[in-house]
C-alpha cells in the first residue's frame, strides 16, 4: 500500500505528541522545587560528542524552570541521547569522507581545465556516458530481492529502483575516474588523521596536496559547515520537542495536583476532541482520492482512526496552551546560530542597491509553491529598506519538479534581455504550466526578442550556469526550497516578522566578506 493512506497510517505512529501520556511520573528531578537560576553549565556528553565537534552549545544543568520546578538536562537526554548520537555520527562519517572528496574535486578541476571544458562536461563524458541504463530484468530482480524493505508495489517503485541502480553505477564509474586521475596527477596524502581542529594552528595542518595545491584541516572543516549546522538544527529540534513534552507533562501534573485528581482524569475532563463521522472520512477521501489506494469502504476505518488522532492532538494542544499561558516558564535551551557561509553573489539576478550592507540570497525553484509564497515577502522587504537591503536570486531546481530546470534556464534567458524579475513573476504565477512552449509564450507576454530567447532556451545556453548554482547550493547543504541566507547566515523562519528581525540584526552587525577572486561580493 503505497498511497497517501499508507503514509497517513505510518504517520499516526510518529505524530508529534502534545503530552507524553495521561499518567506522567510524579517523581523525579523535574518535579523538584527550584527557585534559583540554572546551575553552572556542564557539557553534554555522549560517546560521539568529542569526535563530532558539532555541539552548538554547552547544555546547562537545568534546561527549563516551570512554576519553580526544574527540568534537567538528564530528563531530556534520557530520551534523546541515542538519536542525538546517531545524528552526530553523520558528521563523524562525513569528516572521514571529506578529504577524499576534496582530493577528487581538485583532480576533476585540474583534468577539466587540461581538456579545456567544465567539470560537468568531464563527468558527462567519463561517467554519465559510460553508464548503461538498468534493464527491466535488473530492475525487477532488485525489486524482488528488496521488496520487504521497499514497501511498495513494483509499478510505483520502478522508477525509484531504476534511478537507484543508475546512481550506483555512476558512483562506480566516478570512482574509477578518480582512481585513474590519481595515477596521472601528482597526489600526496600527508596524513590520514582527520580529527577536528581545536585552534588556528591545527586548522593549518596539511592533510594532502594535489598537483601542489594544499588541502588543510581547515579546508575540510569549512566544507563540513553545512552538515554540522544541519545536524545542530536537528539535534536542537529533538531536544526542544522532548523539553516541550517535559514542560507539558509537568504542567499537567501540577494542574492535576491542584484539582486533586489524576492526570488521566484531568485529560478526560478537559480534552474534548470532535468525533470524526463517516461524512468527515468521505470528505477526506474525496479530497485525496487520486492518492488513496482502494475504495472508500476499504479505507474508511483507517481514515477515521487517523483523523480522530489528529483531533485528539489538536484538543490536547489547545488545553496545554491554556496551561502554558497561565504558567511561569523559563527555557534555557537555545537554538543553534547559523555560521556565515560564503555565497557567490556576482553575476546573479539581483534587486536593490549592490552596495547594500545587507544581502538576502534566496535559492529558489520555479515549481515550488513555497517559493512563490515567499517571493512577495522578500520583495516587500527590499522596497521597505531601500538602499540598505539587496535581494539576490540563485537557482536550485529540485529533481522532483520536472519543468523547474528548463524554467530556470528560461529565466536566465529573460535576464539576458534585462527582464528577469518580470519573467520570474510570471513563472511563479504559472507553476503548473512550465512546458517549453509555455516558457516561450511567457517571453512574448513581456515583449522579449523571441528569436533571441528561443535560441537561448533551445540551445541550453544557460544550462551550465544553472548547474553551477545547483552545485553551490549542494555544497551549502541545501535540501529544499526556498532556502534563504541573510548576510551569509541561513534563516529557517521565512515569515515577514522573522526575516525583518534578521535584517535588523544584520544591519547592527553586518558581516559582508570579499573573496580573493577579483573582489567579487560573497557572503
Amino acid at each position: 500500500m503505497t498511497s497517501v493512506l499508507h503514509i497517513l497510517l505510518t504517520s499516526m505512529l510518529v505524530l508529534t505528541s502534545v503530552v507524553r501520556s495521561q499518567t506522567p511520573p510524579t517523581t523525579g528531578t523535574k518535579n523538584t522545587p527550584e527557585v534559583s537560576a540554572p546551575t553552572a553549565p556542564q557539557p553534554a556528553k555522549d560517546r560521539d560528542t568529542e569526535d563530532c565537534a558539532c555541539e552548538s552549545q554547552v547544555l546547562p544543568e537545568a534546561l527549563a524552570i516551570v512554576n519553580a520546578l526544574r527540568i534537567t538536562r538528564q530528563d531530556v537526554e534520557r530520551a534523546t541521547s541515542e538519536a542525538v548520537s546517531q545524528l552526530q555520527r553523520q558528521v563523524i562519517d562525513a569528516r572521514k569522507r571529506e578529504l577524499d572528496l576534496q582530493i577528487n574535486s581538485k583532480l576533476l578541476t585540474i583534468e577539466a581545465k587540461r581538456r579545456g571544458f567544465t567539470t560537468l562536461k568531464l563527468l558527462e563524458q567519463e561517467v554519465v556516458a559510460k553508464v548503461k541504463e538498468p534493464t527491466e530484468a535488473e530492475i525487477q530482480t532488485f525489486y524482488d530481492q528488496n521488496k520487504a524493505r521497499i514497501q511498495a508495489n513494483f509499478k510505483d517503485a520502478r522508477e525509484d529502483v531504476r534511478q537507484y541502480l543508475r546512481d550506483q553505477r555512476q558512483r562506480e564509474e566516478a570512482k574509477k575516474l578518480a582512481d585513474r586521475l590519481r595515477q596521472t596527477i601528482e597526489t600526496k596524502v600527508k596524513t590520514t588523521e582527520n580529527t577536528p581542529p581545536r585552534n588556528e594552528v591545527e586548522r593549518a595542518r596539511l592533510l594532502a596536496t594535489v598537483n601542489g595545491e594544499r588541502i588543510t584541516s581547515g579546508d575540510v572543516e569549512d566544507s563540513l559547515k553545512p552538515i554540522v549546522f544541519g545536524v545542530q538544527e536537528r539535534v536542537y529540534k529533538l531536544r526542544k520537542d522532548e523539553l516541550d513534552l517535559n514542560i507539558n507533562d509537568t504542567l499537567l501534573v501540577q494542574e492535576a495536583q491542584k484539582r486533586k485528581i489524576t492526570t488521566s482524569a484531568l485529560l478526560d475532563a478537559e480534552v474534548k476532541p470532535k468525533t470524526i463521522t463517516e461524512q468527515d472520512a468521505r470528505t477526506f477521501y474525496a479530497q485525496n482520492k487520486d492518492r488513496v489506494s482502494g475504495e472508500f469502504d476499504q479505507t474508511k476505518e483507517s481514515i477515521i482512526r487517523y483523523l480522530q488522532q489528529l483531533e485528539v492532538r489538536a484538543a490536547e494542544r489547545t488545553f496545554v496552551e491554556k496551561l502554558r499561558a497561565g504558567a511561569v516558564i523559563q527555557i534555557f535551551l537555545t537554538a543553534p546560530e547559523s555560521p556565515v557561509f560564503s555565497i557567490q553573489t556576482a553575476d546573479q539576478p539581483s534587486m536593490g542597491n549592490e552596495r547594500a550592507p545587507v544581502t538576502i540570497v534566496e535559492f529558489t525553484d520555479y515549481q515550488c509553491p513555497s517559493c512563490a509564497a515567499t517571493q512577495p515577502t522578500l520583495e516587500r522587504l527590499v522596497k521597505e529598506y531601500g538602499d540598505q537591503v539587496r535581494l539576490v536570486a540563485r537557482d536550485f531546481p529540485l529533481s522532483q519538479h520536472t519543468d523547474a530546470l528548463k524554467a530556470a534556464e528560461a529565466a536566465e534567458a529573460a535576464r539576458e534581455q534585462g527582464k528577469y524579475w518580470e519573467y520570474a513573476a510570471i513563472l511563479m504565477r504559472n507553476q503548473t504550466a512550465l512546458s517549453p512552449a509555455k516558457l516561450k509564450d511567457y517571453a512574448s507576454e513581456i515583449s522579449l526578442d523571441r528569436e533571441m530567447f528561443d535560441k537561448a532556451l533551445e540551445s541550453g545556453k544557460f544550462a551550465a550556469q544553472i548547474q553551477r548554482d545547483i552545485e553551490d547550493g549542494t555544497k551549502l547543504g541545501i535540501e529544499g526550497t526556498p532556502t534563504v541566507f541573510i548576510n551569509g547566515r541561513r534563516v529557517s523562519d521565512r515569515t515577514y516578522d522573522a526575516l525583518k528581525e534578521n535584517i535588523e540584526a544584520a544591519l547592527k552587525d553586518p558581516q559582508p566578506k570579499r573573496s580573493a577572486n577579483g573582489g567579487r561580493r560573497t557572503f
Side-chain angles (χ1 to χ4, degrees), residues 265-295:
L266 175 65
L267 288 169
D268 287 343
E270 296 292 343
V271 176
K272 302 292 185 183
K274 166 191 167 185
T275 300
I276 297 299
T277 65
E278 182 173 318
Q279 185 55 50
D280 294 327
R282 285 188 181 278
T283 300
F284 177 89
Y285 180 82
Q287 293 172 345
N288 297 276
K289 186 175 181 180
D290 56 340
R291 294 184 294 162
V292 174
S293 178
E295 297 301 319

Side-chain angles (χ1 to χ4, degrees), residues 43-44 54-60 63 232 236 239 332-336:
C54 54
E55 280 285 6
S56 62
Q57 62 177 300
V58 177
L59 294 180
L63 296 184
Q232 287 174 346
Y236 168 75
R239 289 170 173 163
F332 305 104
L333 180 69
T334 58

Side-chain angles (χ1 to χ4, degrees), residues 196-222:
R198 294 169 296 181
N199 50 49
E200 287 303 313
V201 172
E202 291 188 0
R203 278 181 60 85
R205 184 173 67 233
L206 182 63
L207 301 180
T209 59
V210 180
N211 204 33
E213 294 184 33
R214 295 165 55 89
I215 300 176
T216 67
S217 180
D219 294 329
V220 168
E221 288 305 305
D222 289 344

Side-chain angles (χ1 to χ4, degrees), residues 36 38 75 88 92 106 153 198 239 355 394 403 411-412 472 475 485:
S36 60
D75 293 327
Q88 293 181 342
I92 297 168
K106 287 188 180 295
N153 62 46
R198 294 169 296 181
R239 289 170 173 163
R355 311 302 297 180
R394 298 203 62 178
D403 294 328
E412 284 297 326
D472 286 354
K475 291 176 183 176
F485 297 82

Side-chain angles (χ1 to χ4, degrees), residues 44-70:
K45 295 181 180 179
D46 62 61
R47 64 180 181 273
D48 290 334
T49 299
E50 185 177 351
D51 292 333
C52 173
C54 54
E55 280 285 6
S56 62
Q57 62 177 300
V58 177
L59 294 180
E61 181 60 29
L63 296 184
I65 297 176
V66 183
N67 291 334
L69 302 179
R70 71 176 188 168

Side-chain angles (χ1 to χ4, degrees), residues 151 156 173 234 415 427 464:
Q151 294 184 340
D156 291 339
E173 285 296 331
R234 291 192 286 274
R415 179 162 78 104
L427 297 182

Side-chain angles (χ1 to χ4, degrees), residues 105-119 121-122 125-126 177 180-186 211 213:
S105 178
K106 287 188 180 295
L107 290 169
L108 286 172
T109 300
I110 292 168
E111 180 65 11
K113 185 177 181 180
R114 185 185 70 80
R115 298 193 193 186
F117 45 63
T118 65
T119 55
K121 184 69 173 177
L122 174 63
Q125 285 188 0
E126 297 294 335
L177 173 61
R180 291 198 302 273
L181 293 178
R182 288 193 187 211
Q183 297 301 315
T184 59
I185 299 173
E186 184 182 33
N211 204 33
E213 294 184 33

Side-chain angles (χ1 to χ4, degrees), residues 114-372:
R114 185 185 70 80
R115 298 193 193 186
F117 45 63
T118 65
T119 55
L120 178 62
K121 184 69 173 177
L122 174 63
L123 289 171
E124 286 176 347
Q125 285 188 0
E126 297 294 335
V127 176
V128 178
K130 293 182 178 181
V131 170
K132 293 182 179 180
E133 282 291 323
T135 65
E136 285 300 314
E138 289 170 334
I139 295 171
Q140 183 70 59
T141 298
F142 182 90
Y143 174 81
D144 292 340
Q145 292 173 346
N146 296 274
K147 186 174 181 179
R149 289 187 298 151
I150 292 174
Q151 294 184 340
N153 62 46
F154 180 74
K155 180 181 177 182
D156 291 339
R158 180 194 172 281
E159 180 57 27
D160 287 338
V161 171
R162 185 196 68 81
Q163 188 61 50
Y164 174 79
L165 292 174
R166 191 169 184 273
D167 289 347
Q168 286 285 88
R169 293 176 182 184
Q170 286 188 356
R171 280 191 286 270
E172 291 169 3
E173 285 296 331
K175 185 180 184 306
K176 292 177 185 177
L177 173 61
D179 290 342
R180 291 198 302 273
L181 293 178
R182 288 193 187 211
Q183 297 301 315
T184 59
I185 299 173
E186 184 182 33
T187 304
K188 296 180 180 178
V189 178
K190 299 294 184 180
T191 177
T192 56
E193 181 185 353
N194 190 13
T195 55
R198 294 169 296 181
N199 50 49
E200 287 303 313
V201 172
E202 291 188 0
R203 278 181 60 85
R205 184 173 67 233
L206 182 63
L207 301 180
T209 59
V210 180
N211 204 33
E213 294 184 33
R214 295 165 55 89
I215 300 176
T216 67
S217 180
D219 294 329
V220 168
E221 288 305 305
D222 289 344
S223 293
L224 290 173
K225 274 184 182 180
I227 296 174
V228 171
F229 182 57
V231 166
Q232 287 174 346
E233 286 192 310
R234 291 192 286 274
V235 166
Y236 168 75
K237 186 178 186 308
L238 276 173
R239 289 170 173 163
K240 182 65 166 57
D241 289 347
E242 180 63 23
L243 181 60
D244 281 337
L245 282 174
N246 275 269
I247 290 171
N248 295 347
D249 286 350
T250 298
L251 289 169
L252 285 173
V253 170
Q254 291 175 340
E255 184 65 18
Q257 290 174 345
K258 186 189 302 182
R259 301 189 192 187
K260 298 182 179 180
I261 58 177
T262 65
T263 53
S264 179
L266 175 65
L267 288 169
D268 287 343
E270 296 292 343
V271 176
K272 302 292 185 183
K274 166 191 167 185
T275 300
I276 297 299
T277 65
E278 182 173 318
Q279 185 55 50
D280 294 327
R282 285 188 181 278
T283 300
F284 177 89
Y285 180 82
Q287 293 172 345
N288 297 276
K289 186 175 181 180
D290 56 340
R291 294 184 294 162
V292 174
S293 178
E295 297 301 319
F296 176 71
D297 289 342
Q298 298 172 304
T299 59
K300 178 180 69 174
E301 294 303 321
S302 297
I303 292 173
I304 288 175
R305 284 196 299 272
Y306 174 72
L307 294 179
Q308 193 65 61
Q309 191 79 341
L310 289 183
E311 286 297 324
V312 171
R313 292 287 184 264
E316 287 178 347
R317 188 172 295 108
T318 298
F319 178 53
V320 168
E321 285 173 357
K322 179 180 176 182
L323 294 179
R324 278 179 173 253
V328 178
I329 302 173
Q330 294 172 277
I331 296 177
F332 305 104
L333 180 69
T334 58
E337 182 180 46
S338 168
V340 177
F341 294 102
S342 178
I343 308 172
Q344 182 61 252
T345 60
D347 190 27
Q348 298 291 344
S350 66
M351 176 186 296
N353 176 21
E354 284 198 4
R355 311 302 297 180
V358 175
T359 295
I360 303 172
V361 179
E362 178 197 21
F363 281 80
T364 192
D365 174 320
Y366 296 107
Q367 266 187 287
C368 163
S370 295
C371 295

